[in-house]
Amino acid sequence: MMRKCVGDTVKHPERDESGQVVGIITNPACLLRTLVIEWDSGETEEWSEIEFGPLQD
């Protein structure tokens, strides 16, 4: 699995819903990324990238 990019589609880890990555926030101290996701319902949330599977470059 590749790292998520702006424009990628993701599945909600807890609900049967899809969303699109609309932004990425990187913590400079640990390089952990937070995805800003706009769900099909119109709700926007921030989720740690690790919630969507193992990280790879």
Side-chain angles (χ1 to χ4, degrees):
M1 175 162 90
M2 299 296 293
R3 291 182 85 172
K4 300 295 182 200
C5 299
V6 172
D8 284 354
T9 300
V10 294
K11 296 280 186 187
H12 195 289
E14 299 169 357
R15 299 188 306 254
D16 184 26
E17 186 174 9
S18 296
Q20 184 174 25
V21 178
V22 295
I24 299 173
I25 303 165
T26 302
N27 180 332
C30 65
L31 301 180
L32 183 62
R33 297 173 357 139
T34 299
L35 305 178
V36 180
I37 302 167
E38 184 174 329
W39 299 108
D40 291 339
S41 65
E43 180 181 8
T44 301
E45 293 182 311
E46 294 180 5
W47 282 77
S48 173
E49 183 176 39
I50 204 158
E51 296 292 333
F52 299 97
L55 305 178
Q56 293 181 350
D57 281 335

